[in-house]
């Protein structure tokens, strides 16, 4: 017979919750719930106390549902279904290929502090992110989140989730791994993939077979290589698209070695934000499946709707795919009739519109915000509206505005007309202005109005007809007058790009290690190489192993420094920096980069660079020509 379960009032009135495991597993929690039920039925005192604290209405007839509720509430969730939903979000979003995880611990610590401040200031973005990440907030409204306090652990978990990680611990592990990868200038040169990709680029199957025979790990790409599209199959398909002779033979051979070409085709069809129509046509003709599902369960078409930002290219897939029946997909496809089926007679979303919503964080691309787990009607409409915007579906925008969607909605802290102006979506800007959007409303991302943004984009690209037209549509100024004012202003002194600033610090570190009081051009080269520009040396045909024999002990990871001070330059190094700045001025640029410095080094009178390249089997004239081609 079961013992009486203590009433919650006899225990802790406001029990604290326990943190989620670093890598949450729904299967593990299901097993824990079954184990807890067995212990409850056996009358285990600790289990009975746990249940009494979390579930005051428990009776003698215990079920798995009761045990699951206890487990969920111990983490802070309101119910077991909420826990299941949360764990599904985490798993789905962790599978996303994201390019925004290359940060260091200091960046993430700053993000935590910023999030706490944003919560204190009732910023909608922070409230939505916390509601999507912290178990005790999960499923609650943004207003409920603002009515509660948050602590550092809440903010850490939320920041981790914003970057696709299940926990702060996982995010820190990734940050450390990324730091090791980013700061080691030789790491990419040590991979066998470098040699494999070199063979693929010229369609040399025989050379590739030799590389693979010596380095079979080429056929077993890491998660990082898959995320960054650096597998041998990716390289072979890219070579096919460029028309490299022998590339198709290479791809077929890789397939014969057990690599899944179809999987890579589908992955590439999901897009990286820079796909063109010809790329999509190639992938479809080559066998990519427009109805395929990514490992996170999201379809290729759904990825295209949020990653391509080009409705015409999306249509190439949509004609061959069966879209999910959802408000946001209908909006993204420009299907006004489809959108209408999800709105009631008052223009509000039906229950069906709430059931299948976009997971921006799981799809990735240029919009990676965490969606509210439970959204109100306006939020659901806003999600569909933004998808229509990025796919240039003006007819849908007009229809939704006719049905009462608030054109100046600021729930995402930026007006939609400002978003469209910032992304130079001309037809959308014209539509929203025609419909009466407020061009002076300021949001937070950034703190600027549509007029401000239109003016800035025109000043940055005065010859771009789209920028000029949007400036005019937004009544943000006379383009000829703005151009005259811009030309009358003295050109600003070019700034040093942050990577170049780091290179100068590393050059000073090398000079210090060499016992020099000032930085020489040779130190400058070492500093540039330490920031990860080894690939540039390959442009000149450098034998990297010979270069490593020359300078390997000096080209250290960028985080290994004796001091952080920016050093003094000797006369020759100063002349190199002046020459690099002059190159930028000649081109009307405003930022000096490490590549400008490399070009200046290649053109300097000092013969050390030419002699070094010669010893490494290369020609400085080749490097100089490539740098002149690419550096503007």
């Amino acid at each position: 017979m079961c013992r009486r379960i203590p009433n919650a009032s006899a225990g802790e009135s406001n029990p604290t919750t326990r943190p989620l495991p670093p890598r949450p597993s729904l299967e593990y929690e299901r097993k824990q719930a079954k184990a807890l039920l067995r212990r409850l039925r056996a009358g285990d005192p600790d289990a009975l106390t746990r249940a009494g604290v979390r579930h005051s209405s428990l009776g003698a007839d215990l079920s798995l549902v009761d045990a699951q509720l206890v487990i969920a509430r111990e983490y802070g969730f309101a119910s077991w279904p909420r826990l299941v939903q949360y764990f599904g979000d985490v798993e789905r979003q962790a599978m996303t290929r994201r390019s925004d995880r290359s940060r260091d611990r200091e960046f993430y610590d700053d993000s935590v502090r910023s999030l706490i401040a944003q919560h204190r200031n009732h910023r909608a973005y922070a409230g939505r992110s916390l509601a999507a990440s912290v178990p005790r907030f999960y499923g609650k409204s943004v207003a409920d989140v603002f009515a509660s306090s948050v602590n550092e652990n809440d903010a850490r978990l939320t920041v981790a989730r914003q970057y696709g990680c299940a926990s702060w611990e996982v995010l820190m592990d990734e940050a450390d791994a990324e730091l090791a990868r980013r700061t080691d200038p030789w790491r990419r040169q040590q991979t066998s993939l470098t040699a494999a990709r070199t063979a693929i680029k010229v369609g040399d199957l025989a050379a590739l077979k030799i590389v693979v025979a010596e380095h079979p790990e080429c056929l077993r790409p890491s998660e990082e290589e898959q995320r960054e599209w650096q597998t041998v199959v990716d390289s072979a398909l890219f070579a096919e698209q460029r028309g490299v002779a022998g590339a198709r033979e290479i791809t077929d051979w890789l397939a014969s070695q057990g690599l899944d070409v179809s999987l890579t085709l589908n992955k590439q069809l999901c897009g990286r934000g820079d796909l063109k129509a010809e790329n999509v046509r190639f992938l479809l003709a080559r066998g990519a499946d427009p109805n395929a599902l990514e490992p996170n369960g999201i379809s290729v078409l759904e990825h295209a709707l949020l990653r391509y930002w080009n409705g015409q290219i999306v249509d190439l897939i949509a004609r061959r795919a069966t879209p999910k029946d959802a408000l946001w997909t209908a909006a993204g496809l420009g299907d006004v009739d489809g959108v209408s089926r999800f709105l009631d007679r008052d223009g509000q979303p039906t229950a069906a519109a709430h059931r299948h919503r976009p997971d921006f964080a799981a799809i990735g691309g240029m919009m990676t915000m965490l969606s509210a787990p439970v959204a109100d009607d306006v939020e659901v409409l806003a999600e569909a509206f933004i998808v229509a915007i990025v796919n240039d579906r003006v007819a849908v925008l007009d229809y939704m505005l006719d049905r009462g969607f608030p054109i100046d909605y600021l729930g995402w802290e930026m007006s939609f007309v400002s978003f469209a102006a910032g992304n130079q979506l001309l037809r959308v800007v014209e539509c929203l202005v025609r419909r009466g959007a407020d061009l002076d409303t300021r949001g937070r991302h950034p703190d600027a109005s549509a007029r401000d943004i239109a003016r800035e984009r025109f000043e940055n690209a005065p010859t771009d007809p789209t920028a000029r037209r949007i400036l005019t549509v937004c009544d943000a100024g006379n383009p000829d007058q703005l151009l005259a004012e811009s030309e009358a202003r003295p050109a600003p002194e070019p700034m040093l790009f942050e990577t170049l600033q780091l290179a100068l610090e590393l050059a000073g570190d090398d000079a210090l290690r060499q016992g020099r009081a000032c930085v020489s051009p040779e130190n400058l080269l070492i500093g540039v190489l330490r920031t990860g520009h080894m690939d540039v040396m390959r442009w000149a045909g450098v034998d990297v192993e010979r270069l490593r024999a020359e300078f390997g002990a000096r080209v250290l990871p960028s985080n290994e420094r004796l001091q952080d001070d920016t050093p003094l330059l000797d006369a020759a190094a100063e002349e190199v920096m002046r020459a690099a700045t002059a190159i930028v001025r000649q081109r009307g640029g405003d930022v000096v980069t490490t590549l400008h410095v490399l070009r200046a080094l290649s053109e300097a009178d000092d013969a050390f660079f030419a002699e070094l390249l010669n010893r490494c089997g290369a020609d400085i004239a080749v490097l100089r020509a490539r740098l002149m081609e690419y550096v503007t």
Side-chain angles (χ1 to χ4, degrees), residues 607-625:
F608 92 93
F609 198 8
E611 292 171 355
L612 169 67
L613 291 178
N614 185 60
R615 293 196 300 272
C616 295
D619 186 344
I620 197 167
V622 175
L623 177 62
R624 186 182 299 133

Side-chain angles (χ1 to χ4, degrees), residues 37-59:
L37 178 60
R38 289 193 296 270
R39 293 175 61 193
L40 287 170
R41 287 175 172 173
D44 180 85
D46 290 339
L48 292 167
T49 299
R50 284 175 61 189
V53 168
R54 303 292 176 180
H55 194 347
S56 59
S57 60
L58 275 175

